[in-house]
Amino acid sequence: MTIIKHASYSASDLSIESREVLFRGFVQVEQVCLKHRLFNQTDYSPNIQRELVHRPEAAGVLLYNDQQQRFALIEQFRIGAMNDADSAWQLEIIAGVLDGDESPENCIRRESLEEAGCQIDQLQHLFSFYPSAGACSELFHLYAAEVELPLHGSVFGMADEGENIQLHLFDYSELATLLSNGRLRNAAVIMALQWLAQHIPQNKNSKG
């Protein structure tokens, strides 16, 4: 099996012909005209026109506790899921948008207090990825953190920012069901819980 260590092309193989801002709001939408190098050819593509949605970098964290054998997820209304056949209230990990030049780690610590009332000491970086690179510039940084979880769920969020967030606490025994019953529709939470599923047996073996 061949492992691809590097991208086939780089930024120098892309030519931006024009770009125009179409909308500025909570997100920014830009119309871009470009051409790029083609695989197995020396030529560039014809001019291609695309709409690009700009979102700031974001970071999220899965909160868990091995001793308690539990992990935390939040539930909140999401406009992007308003037409979902089941519910626009989505189960997610704690996450937020980076504020200016804020680091992903600082963002996560701030959001963890706001959305779950939990203080984070140590963070483990799992992945950084583009959730929807076909149309959106957002880069998402995914972490995990072992914390002291509260005994019960509660409602959190910044009311002046329109947040109304329900904190849910799950036993490790519920993990397989969550990953298989179709309730999770968010890439970050699925990736985080798949990591947790791998972490649990490793953790048990290390203790035994």
Side-chain angles (χ1 to χ4, degrees), residues 193-204:
L193 293 187
Q194 286 177 333
W195 171 86
L196 184 62
Q198 295 176 326
H199 161 85
I200 292 172
Q202 293 174 359
N203 179 268
K204 285 182 178 178

Side-chain angles (χ1 to χ4, degrees), residues 10 14 20 29 55 153:
S10 65
L14 170 70
E20 176 188 0
V29 181
R55 283 179 53 92

Side-chain angles (χ1 to χ4, degrees), residues 63-72 118 146-152 169-174 203 207:
L63 302 181
Y64 69 97
N65 187 288
D66 285 331
Q67 185 174 3
Q68 298 175 13
Q69 294 282 289
R70 295 192 306 169
F71 60 94
C118 292
E146 186 165 16
V147 301
E148 188 67 28
L149 293 172
L151 295 178
H152 306 286
L169 299 169
F170 296 91
D171 294 331
Y172 280 1
S173 60
E174 300 174 89
N203 179 268
K207 288 182 176 180

